[in-house]
Amino acid sequence: MNDRELLNLARDAAKNAYTPYSNFPVGAALECEDGSVFVGCNVENAAIGNTICAERVAITKAVSEGYRNFKRIAIYGDGQNYCMPCGTCRQFMIEFSDEIEVLSAKTGGRYVSYKLKDLLPRAFRF
Ligand code: THU
């Protein structure tokens, strides 16, 4: 699967986002080493801190299905800025590999890509 196809899955996943508070739908598409893809969207909550980001939904779906080897994640947010993963999601992802490639897209589909280890240098580990 190429970058554009993975980004399209992320964009489609954003359609299921539950965002009555921010009105900012986000979609993520996580590609595993074997080519399997898990998608996620953000799910908000009246107790705002309970909100879960699209990336963590995709990762928890994958892990709960027995997948732990991740290659790339595409993130789509319909905004003027590239939709970069928040700090919590960076730490959540780096648990599994610091080599994950992160593709962050904005309205219109333009995107940037980074290695996760460059987005979270010296991550917490014990
Ligand atoms: N959000 C994500 O789903 N992923 C990110 O990488 C950044 C933020 C969500 C959380 C919240 O529902 C909305 O975007 C606004 O912060």
Side-chain angles (χ1 to χ4, degrees), residues 26-105:
V26 178
L30 176 69
E31 184 184 51
C32 305
E33 289 291 352
D34 74 350
S36 304
V37 175
F38 292 85
V39 299
C41 60
N42 49 339
V43 181
E44 299 186 344
N45 189 267
I48 302 297
N50 290 342
T51 291
I52 184 166
C53 295
E55 298 91 317
R56 276 176 289 145
V57 169
I59 291 162
T60 51
K61 282 172 69 177
V63 172
S64 66
E65 296 291 331
Y67 291 80
R68 295 181 183 174
N69 299 319
F70 307 132
K71 199 158 74 178
R72 283 186 301 172
I73 187 166
I75 308 161
Y76 180 86
D78 203 8
Q80 292 184 335
N81 299 313
Y82 295 111
C83 192
M84 301 298 295
C86 77
T88 299
C89 287
R90 293 178 197 200
Q91 180 69 39
F92 203 84
M93 290 191 280
I94 216 163
E95 179 76 16
F96 298 98
S97 168
D98 58 10
E99 297 294 328
I100 297 171
E101 188 183 355
V102 177
L103 312 176
S104 291

